[in-house]
């Protein structure tokens, strides 16, 4: 066996009494060995050597050799039976099965190191190696002067086998001395080497995953498009022909875009590129017409869907009416209970489906009503503004079209001049073709001039309409000004009548005291300052007034007193840091002055 070779028959003392053969067989089976007697005969004939255990008994010992992985969990209803383990120099006795399992800390990632405590004082590294090499290959043992050590294994699953020995009592030889006995406590240990190896392994797995993902992406990546040909006169003529064809337009426009971005446009090729751009511009009208056709098809499909949905609703209504008529007493009494139940269930289902379809149809109609309401006219003033803005936009569009037509005329003139220059240099064979081109260009010029005249006439009409709108606007503004003048004259008349009716109020509004409350405050403050002939500070005055009314503030009192200069006077008293502002009552002097 691999991993449990140290626990052979030679390592078990043969002189031990074996009173219970079945217990001996269970212990040997848990250690992963074939149950053999003293004479070498098999104790249990139904032992399956291929499985390494007795048939009919589940694996309950994680020390079983040949696993190579973390042992499977033990069922809760199957208690683990731990037996005595005999080694050459020591004996391990199992813990009490009724006690709870020993506690362990949280397992660190990539843990290959265990902490072993409770070792005998006389225990050596050879004894520790003899006990724990049963769990797997031991790489290093770091023993402390105290009764514990750290053991590092070659693989992670060996740590789980070592944890199985936690709780065992160890005895060296047959001695009963305390220094030769101890209780093993095995737990996970956190080591930097384990963490480093685990991180390296994780990085390697991540690299493999990235490489695998990159390969998958490259496998599913679409092939790159074919390269765009370089510009030449021949290729330019081919692309110009393709631009006129609707089926090859997309390929040709991509080639044209690539040439322009590469910087193939210069003085010699500018006219060719302009003609290609012009032919690309001619496709705009086709695309707009296609969009309108698709929109029309969509509207027709909506109408068909609405008609079909209304027909389905009518049929649902008829089916529900059949169910309701069948539910009436004349027909209902003749059905059995099962038939009645089925009819009621069918009626409910039909009503639910009908309601869903009805809500859908109503939602479509609501959307149409909302679209119609958005298109309705809200106010005549807004209508006028929208008309004016529409006219302005049309005028601007006409101006832009006029400018573009002028530029086209200039381009055609340049082309005619170039043709004239080339006509003198070219041979006689090309004269006929150039004359045809000249005729075509002249016809195009005549057509453009006619179109220009039409555009100018439309422009004049739009300007006349715009002037009419401006005149209407001026009339409305004059009417508004007349109305405002009438309102102002009416308000003046009302103000004069009010002044005649209430002159007393006018006199009150001109006085420094604006309300009855301020008059009361003036009287109280005057009485208070008359009692204090040397004056008082504003805080002292306000503290007295706040006893009468807590809502009075210092700023309000100070503003009122500064307004009445003939009644109250502010004086400064003191020197330096003791400078203080005091208010005095001067009403009698002010009466003489006024």
């Amino acid at each position: 066996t691999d991993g449990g070779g140290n626990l052979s028959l030679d390592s078990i003392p043969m002189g031990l009494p074996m009173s219970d053969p079945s217990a001996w067989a269970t212990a040997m089976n848990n250690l992963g060995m074939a149950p053999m007697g003293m004479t070498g005969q098999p104790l249990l004939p139904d032992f399956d050597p291929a499985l390494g255990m007795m048939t009919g008994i589940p694996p309950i010992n994680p020390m079983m050799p040949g696993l190579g992985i973390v042992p499977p969990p033990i069922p809760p209803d199957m208690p683990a039976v731990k037996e005595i383990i005999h080694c050459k120099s020591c004996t391990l006795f199992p813990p009490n099965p009724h006690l709870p399992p020993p506690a362990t800390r949280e397992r660190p990632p990539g843990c290959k190191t265990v902490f072993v405590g409770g070792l005998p004082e006389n225990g050596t590294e050879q004894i520790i190696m003899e006990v724990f090499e049963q769990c797997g290959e031991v790489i290093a043992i770091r023993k402390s002067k105290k009764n514990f050590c750290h053991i590092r294994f070659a693989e992670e699953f060996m740590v789980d086998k070592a944890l199985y020995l936690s709780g065992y009592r160890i005895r060296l030889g047959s001695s009963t001395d305390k220094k030769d006995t101890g209780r093993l406590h095995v737990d996970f240990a956190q080591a930097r080497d384990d963490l480093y190896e685990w991180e390296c392994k994780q990085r390697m797995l991540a690299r493999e995953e990235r490489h695998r993902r990159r390969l998958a992406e490259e496998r599913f990546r679409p092939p790159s498009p074919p390269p765009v040909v370089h510009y030449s006169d021949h290729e330019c003529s081919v692309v110009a022909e393709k631009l006129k064809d609707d089926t090859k337009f997309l390929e040709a426009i991509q080639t044209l875009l690539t040439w322009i971005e590469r910087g193939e446009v210069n003085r010699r090729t500018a006219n060719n590129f302009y003609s290609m751009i012009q032919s690309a511009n001619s496709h705009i009208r086709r695309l707009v017409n296609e969009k309108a056709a698709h929109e029309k098809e969509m509207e027709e499909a909506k109408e068909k869907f609405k008609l079909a949905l209304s027909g389905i609703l009518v049929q649902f209504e008829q089916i529900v009416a059949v169910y309701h008529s069948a539910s009436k007493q004349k027909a209902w009494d003749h059905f059995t209970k099962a038939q009645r139940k089925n009819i009621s269930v069918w009626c409910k289902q039909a009503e639910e489906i009908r309601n869903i379809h009805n809500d859908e149809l109503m939602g479509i109609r609501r959307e149409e009503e909302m679209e119609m309401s958005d298109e309705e006219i809200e106010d005549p003033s807004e209508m006028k503004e929208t008309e004016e803005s529409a006219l302005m936009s049309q005028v601007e569009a006409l101006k832009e079209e006029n400018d573009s037509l002028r530029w086209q005329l200039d381009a055609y003139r340049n082309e005619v001049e170039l043709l004239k220059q080339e006509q003198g240099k070219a041979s006689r064979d090309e004269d006929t073709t150039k004359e045809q081109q000249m005729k075509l260009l002249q016809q195009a010029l005549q057509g453009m001039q006619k179109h220009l005249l039409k555009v100018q006439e439309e422009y004049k009409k739009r300007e006349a309409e715009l002037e009419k709108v401006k005149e209407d606007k001026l009339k409305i503004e004059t009417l508004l000004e007349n109305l405002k003048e009438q309102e102002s004259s009416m308000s003046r008349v009302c103000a004069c009548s009010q002044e005649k009716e209430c002159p007393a109020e006018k006199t009150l509004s001109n006085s420094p005291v604006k309300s009855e409350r301020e008059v009361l405050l003036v009287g109280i403050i005057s009485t208070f300052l008359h009692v204090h002939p040397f004056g008082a500070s504003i805080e002292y005055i306000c503290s007295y007034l706040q006893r009468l009314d807590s809502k009075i503030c210092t700023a309000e009192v100070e503003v009122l007193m500064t307004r009445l200069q003939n009644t109250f006077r502010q004086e400064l008293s003191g020197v330096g840091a003791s400078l203080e502002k005091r208010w005095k009552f001067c009403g009698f002097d002010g009466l003489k002055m006024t």
Side-chain angles (χ1 to χ4, degrees):
T1 56
D2 48 270
N6 294 320
L7 297 175
S8 62
L9 288 172
D10 298 335
S11 65
I12 301 172
M14 295 299 180
L16 290 171
M18 189 175 67
S19 58
D20 190 359
S22 63
W24 180 256
T26 304
M28 294 182 74
N29 177 64
N30 287 338
L31 292 173
M33 297 183 294
M36 306 293 289
M38 297 292 290
T39 59
Q41 299 293 329
L43 288 174
L44 297 171
D46 58 347
F47 180 79
D48 190 357
L51 298 174
M53 64 182 104
M54 288 186 293
T55 57
I57 298 176
I60 57 175
N61 191 351
M63 293 290 291
M64 189 166 59
L67 280 177
I69 55 172
V70 178
I74 300 170
D77 55 346
M78 181 67 68
V81 180
K82 293 186 176 182
E83 302 293 339
I84 299 171
I85 300 172
H86 297 279
C87 300
K88 289 181 181 179
S89 305
C90 61
T91 307
L92 301 175
F93 297 94
N96 189 354
H98 301 293
L99 292 175
T104 57
R105 62 181 290 181
E106 187 179 357
R107 182 171 188 150
C111 181
K112 296 181 184 178
T113 308
V114 293
F115 165 82
V116 183
L119 294 170
E121 290 185 16
N122 294 332
T124 61
E125 287 189 10
Q126 292 177 355
I127 295 170
I128 296 167
M129 177 69 78
E130 184 182 346
V131 172
F132 283 95
E133 71 180 355
Q134 307 168 26
C135 305
E137 183 185 352
V138 177
I139 294 176
I141 297 175
R142 295 190 297 275
K143 190 176 182 303
S144 175
K145 293 180 181 179
K146 297 183 180 180
N147 302 332
F148 71 89
C149 70
H150 288 85
I151 303 172
R152 189 162 190 263
F153 292 97
E155 299 294 337
E156 292 184 27
F157 70 89
M158 300 173 183
V159 172
D160 298 283
K161 292 184 178 181
L163 287 174
Y164 180 75
L165 298 175
S166 184
Y168 270 81
R169 288 180 289 108
I170 185 171
R171 187 177 70 187
L172 304 180
S174 58
S175 174
T176 57
D177 192 4
K178 283 187 178 181
K179 294 185 178 182
D180 294 333
T181 60
R183 184 181 293 276
L184 296 179
H185 174 68
V186 185
D187 198 356
F188 299 111
Q190 193 166 5
R192 282 179 290 182
D193 296 340
D194 297 344
L195 184 62
Y196 176 71
E197 287 181 4
W198 181 79
E199 286 176 350
C200 291
K201 188 177 180 181
Q202 293 298 317
R203 282 196 290 270
M204 184 184 69
L205 292 172
R207 282 196 298 272
E208 290 177 357
E209 180 64 26
R210 284 197 300 271
H211 181 65
R212 199 178 300 113
R213 199 176 299 161
R214 195 180 300 114
L215 289 176
E217 288 176 358
E218 288 177 358
R219 194 181 301 117
F220 292 109
R221 186 179 296 161
S224 58
V228 178
V229 296
H230 290 281
Y231 177 81
S232 65
D233 293 336
H234 173 68
E235 294 294 335
C236 178
S237 61
V238 171
V239 171
E241 291 297 325
K242 285 183 179 179
L243 283 170
K244 295 174 184 177
D245 190 359
D246 296 344
T247 58
K248 300 178 181 178
F249 173 73
L250 192 61
E251 179 188 353
I253 198 73
Q254 188 64 35
T255 307
L256 177 60
L257 177 64
T258 307
W259 283 350
I260 293 171
E261 287 178 350
R262 283 179 184 172
E264 300 287 350
V265 183
N266 51 37
R267 287 186 179 180
R268 188 177 65 83
T269 61
N271 293 326
N272 295 333
F273 274 98
Y274 180 78
S275 61
M276 286 191 286
I277 292 166
Q278 188 176 6
S279 58
N281 184 42
S282 65
H283 283 270
I284 292 172
R285 188 175 296 171
R286 175 182 64 82
L287 295 173
V288 171
N289 292 333
E290 285 182 4
K291 183 190 171 190
H294 287 307
E295 287 177 352
K296 189 177 179 181
E297 288 176 1
M298 189 176 69
E299 293 295 330
E300 290 175 356
K302 279 184 180 179
E303 289 295 329
K304 286 181 183 177
F305 174 70
K306 196 162 62 172
L307 290 172
L309 194 60
S310 60
I312 290 166
L313 276 173
V314 170
Q315 294 177 18
F316 269 116
E317 292 288 346
Q318 292 174 356
I319 293 168
V320 171
V322 169
Y323 289 141
H324 284 307
S325 61
S327 301
K328 291 180 181 178
Q329 195 160 2
K330 287 182 181 179
W332 191 254
D333 294 338
H334 300 288
F335 295 121
T336 62
K337 286 186 178 179
Q339 290 172 347
R340 289 176 187 175
K341 187 176 181 181
N342 288 336
I343 289 169
S344 60
V345 169
W346 294 340
C347 183
K348 285 181 182 178
Q349 289 177 355
E351 284 178 349
E352 288 177 359
I353 297 168
R354 181 198 62 184
N355 293 333
I356 290 166
H357 284 77
N358 196 8
D359 292 340
E360 190 173 355
L361 185 61
M362 291 300 292
I364 293 168
R365 287 175 180 170
R366 264 191 236 104
E367 287 178 0
E368 289 179 354
E369 288 175 1
M370 290 291 289
E371 288 175 359
M372 290 294 292
S373 63
D374 290 339
E375 292 174 0
E376 287 177 358
I377 300 167
E378 295 180 356
D379 287 325
S381 59
E382 292 181 1
M383 183 68 179
K384 286 181 180 178
E385 289 178 1
T386 52
E387 286 180 358
E388 188 174 352
S389 61
L391 287 169
M392 291 293 290
S393 61
Q394 287 177 3
V395 168
E396 288 176 359
L398 288 169
K399 283 182 180 178
E400 289 176 359
E401 192 174 359
N402 193 4
D403 293 336
S404 66
L405 289 170
R406 283 177 183 170
W407 295 335
Q408 287 178 9
L409 277 172
D410 294 334
Y412 280 123
R413 284 170 185 166
N414 291 331
E415 287 178 5
V416 169
E417 288 175 1
L418 287 170
L419 286 170
K420 284 179 180 178
Q421 289 175 5
E422 289 174 1
Q423 191 176 7
K425 297 177 184 179
S427 63
R428 295 176 182 178
D429 297 331
E430 296 176 355
D431 288 340
T432 55
T433 57
K434 288 183 178 179
E435 284 176 1
Q436 290 177 358
Q437 289 179 357
M438 286 288 289
K439 287 179 181 178
L440 290 171
L441 287 170
Q442 285 174 359
Q443 290 175 1
L445 275 170
Q446 289 174 1
M448 294 294 291
Q449 286 175 354
K450 289 177 182 178
H451 188 62
L452 220 162
L453 291 170
K454 287 180 182 178
V455 169
Q456 286 177 353
E457 288 175 1
E458 287 181 4
Y459 178 73
K460 289 177 182 177
K461 289 179 183 177
R462 298 294 181 187
E463 281 184 346
E465 289 177 1
L466 208 137
E467 287 177 358
K468 287 180 182 178
V469 170
K470 287 181 179 179
E471 288 174 1
D472 293 340
K473 193 175 178 181
L474 287 170
K475 288 178 182 177
I476 291 166
E477 286 177 355
T478 52
L479 285 171
L480 284 171
E481 287 176 359
N482 293 330
L483 285 171
K484 285 179 182 178
E485 288 176 1
Q486 288 177 5
E487 285 178 0
S488 61
S489 62
M490 289 293 291
S491 60
R492 286 172 189 170
V493 171
C494 291
C496 292
S497 61
Q498 286 176 1
E499 285 176 1
K500 289 176 182 178
E501 287 175 2
C502 50
E505 291 179 2
K506 189 173 179 181
T507 54
L508 278 172
S509 61
N510 294 328
S511 65
V513 181
K514 295 180 179 179
S515 63
E516 188 177 356
R517 185 171 179 275
E518 290 185 355
V519 172
L520 290 171
L521 281 173
V522 169
I524 294 165
I525 294 166
S526 302
T527 309
F528 179 77
L529 291 176
H530 186 65
V531 178
H532 297 77
F534 296 106
S537 63
I538 190 70
E539 290 82 6
Y540 186 25
I541 297 166
C542 288
S543 64
Y544 175 71
L545 292 173
Q546 283 172 356
R547 291 180 188 173
L548 303 173
D549 187 2
S550 59
K551 296 179 181 178
I552 295 170
C553 61
T554 308
E556 181 185 359
V557 175
E558 192 170 4
V559 168
L560 180 62
M561 293 174 72
T562 51
R563 222 188 298 148
L564 300 169
Q565 296 180 358
N566 296 326
T567 309
F568 305 105
R569 184 174 66 253
Q570 189 179 17
E571 292 182 355
L572 296 173
S573 62
V575 180
S578 62
L579 192 66
E580 186 181 7
K581 294 180 180 180
R582 289 178 174 272
W583 287 90
K584 290 185 178 181
F585 177 71
C586 61
F588 299 114
D589 299 333
L591 186 63
K592 293 175 184 178
M593 290 171 67
T594 55

